[in-house]
Amino acid sequence: MPLSADAVLRCSSARLGRLFRREHPALFRQVRDIGNFNVKRHRCSRTSSVEGSPFNELSYSSCKLIRDKLTLHGLATKQLNDSTAASLIAKPGHADVHVAERAWLPIVVRSTSQGVLTRRTSSPSYAFNARSSAFNTLLLCICEEDEKLWHFERQDMQHVKSTLLITPGGTYDTPKSVLYNEAGICWDSLARTVLDSYLACKQDDRTLTSEREARTPVSKNHQIEYFGILQYQTKVSEPHGMTLRFPDGSGLPFDLIEDNRNRIQVKTVRPRVGSPGTFQCGFRKGVGHYGRQRWQCVRVSRHDADTFLFLHMTPAEEPSQRVLQGYWRIDSEDLFG
């Protein structure tokens, strides 16, 4: 019996987890029983290209713009996903390297919509989120509307704890950091800056990163989900000849793309305290923040993905030590009625 849309929207996360267990018992798969996986049942029939509207349009478009420009200048790039320390990874040459090979330069991209006038200056100032990153790498700050771009070495900005305020002619607006002129952003200069930073990291033993390491989320909860995805890929998708990849971009309403057409939203479940055999998970999504307000959260929608994948991981102190025990795989139409 499928869950109705009203039931999903009204019930709490704990109640939703109980409904999974009681009303969808046949959909739970133990990893050791993957031979029962119905490949034909879960082959998506969509023929259109995979599309999705990002929650944070500004960040998504800025990263995509920088990535496209670097690609035109002969650099291989990959756009990362939510909760990662970097926004992009780049390297000279082609992108066909093993996911564990340390061959990529991580790049942090921060964006703002427009400059803001302050009492102290007659020209607009630009504010960027500059929280500390796990990588000592290249930091790019961009304002697309005003066509301005700055670059900094991340290790030189560790003293900035929250907001980086760039004022024309100020401390951070120097010839060394500026990558624009009266005509707009100098994309040739950006490509040279990225290449120089890559070569410097490679020559003086500053650590480059692998794709797998760069995609590892910063938060512990997202790490659990990430390592569950990797195990699902090797234990379930690959044995059945199904391709699974991460989408190009962050802030998207889905986490994975299967067979280049099926959008998958991933959730990790946990046992509900006091209810043996019952699992629960959060069923909300962050949709961005506005100004100084906190992240806004709304219910997951039936339009966010074609398939919802709920992973059950064994408990362990470190996220990388958790083992995929089983999963529910429910099509959006079946889940929301």
Side-chain angles (χ1 to χ4, degrees):
M1 175 181 173
L3 300 178
S4 67
D6 291 339
V8 172
L9 294 177
R10 286 201 306 264
C11 65
S12 66
S13 59
R15 175 60 179 160
L16 184 64
R18 189 183 306 132
L19 287 171
F20 284 151
R21 187 61 167 164
R22 291 181 179 175
E23 298 192 22
H24 294 283
L27 290 173
F28 182 74
R29 301 280 187 241
Q30 295 287 341
V31 172
R32 62 176 179 269
D33 297 328
I34 60 175
N36 296 327
F37 184 73
N38 191 336
V39 177
K40 184 177 180 180
R41 166 73 175 83
H42 293 296
R43 289 287 189 185
C44 182
S45 59
R46 292 177 353 110
T47 56
S48 60
S49 60
V50 177
E51 298 178 355
S53 299
F55 304 137
N56 191 334
E57 292 275 1
L58 179 63
S59 176
Y60 179 85
S61 63
S62 296
C63 288
K64 187 176 186 303
L65 174 64
I66 290 174
R67 180 189 175 187
D68 291 345
K69 295 297 184 181
L70 291 177
T71 301
L72 288 175
H73 285 81
L75 291 166
T77 60
K78 291 191 178 184
Q79 196 165 341
L80 303 180
N81 309 115
D82 296 329
S83 301
T84 54
S87 310
L88 304 169
I89 51 177
K91 66 180 291 293
H94 60 83
D96 297 331
V97 295
H98 192 271
V99 292
E101 182 179 345
R102 288 180 171 272
W104 296 92
L105 173 72
I107 301 174
V108 178
V109 178
R110 294 291 182 257
S111 54
T112 190
S113 57
Q114 59 185 0
V116 178
L117 289 173
T118 64
R119 294 180 180 179
R120 297 182 180 181
T121 62
S122 58
S123 300
S125 296
Y126 301 86
F128 300 93
N129 175 10
R131 292 191 186 96
S132 296
S133 167
F135 294 111
N136 288 330
T137 182
L138 193 63
L139 171 64
L140 300 179
C141 297
I142 183 173
C143 178
E144 284 188 66
E145 183 173 330
D146 294 348
E147 296 189 88
K148 296 184 184 298
L149 177 65
W150 297 266
H151 75 96
F152 307 94
E153 290 294 329
R154 195 67 184 86
Q155 64 269 22
D156 297 335
M157 306 298 291
Q158 296 297 329
H159 62 283
V160 180
K161 300 301 181 183
S162 56
T163 302
L164 172 62
L165 187 65
I166 302 179
T167 304
T171 304
Y172 302 110
D173 187 62
T174 64
K176 179 182 177 181
S177 64
V178 165
L179 290 174
Y180 67 91
N181 54 31
E182 295 180 356
I185 296 175
C186 303
W187 297 111
D188 290 342
S189 299
L190 172 62
R192 286 195 299 270
T193 298
V194 172
L195 183 58
D196 290 344
S197 182
Y198 178 91
L199 295 176
C201 288
K202 194 171 184 179
Q203 290 174 1
D204 65 7
D205 293 330
R206 274 191 290 170
T207 305
L208 296 176
T209 184
S210 66
E211 180 182 349
R212 180 165 293 173
E213 183 182 1
R215 289 194 183 278
T216 303
V218 176
S219 71
K220 188 172 183 178
N221 288 337
H222 284 92
Q223 286 179 16
I224 295 173
E225 180 179 294
Y226 175 72
F227 289 116
I229 288 173
L230 295 182
Q231 293 182 51
Y232 179 84
Q233 183 178 22
T234 57
K235 296 178 179 180
V236 181
S237 293
E238 291 178 357
H240 290 90
M242 304 176 77
T243 61
L244 202 66
R245 66 176 177 86
F246 292 96
D248 293 327
S250 60
L252 294 169
F254 52 92
D255 301 307
L256 298 169
I257 299 175
E258 185 178 66
D259 290 342
N260 290 324
R261 62 177 69 185
N262 190 27
R263 303 169 303 164
I264 297 179
Q265 171 65 253
V266 181
K267 298 288 184 182
T268 53
V269 302
R270 61 187 183 278
R272 187 186 180 205
V273 178
S275 300
T278 303
F279 300 89
Q280 66 182 24
C281 73
F283 216 54
R284 290 178 176 270
K285 61 185 179 184
V287 294
H289 58 85
Y290 305 93
R292 295 184 178 180
Q293 297 181 15
R294 294 184 176 181
W295 280 86
Q296 307 296 308
C297 291
V298 298
R299 287 277 183 183
V300 172
S301 165
R302 66 184 302 164
H303 305 293
D304 289 343
D306 304 302
T307 302
F308 286 82
L309 179 65
F310 300 89
L311 305 178
H312 176 212
M313 308 287 288
T314 58
E317 187 171 342
E318 294 296 327
S320 59
Q321 297 174 349
R322 299 199 175 204
V323 178
L324 180 63
Q325 188 70 23
Y327 61 91
W328 290 266
R329 183 184 168 113
I330 308 175
D331 288 344
S332 178
E333 295 178 358
D334 296 334
L335 182 61
F336 290 93

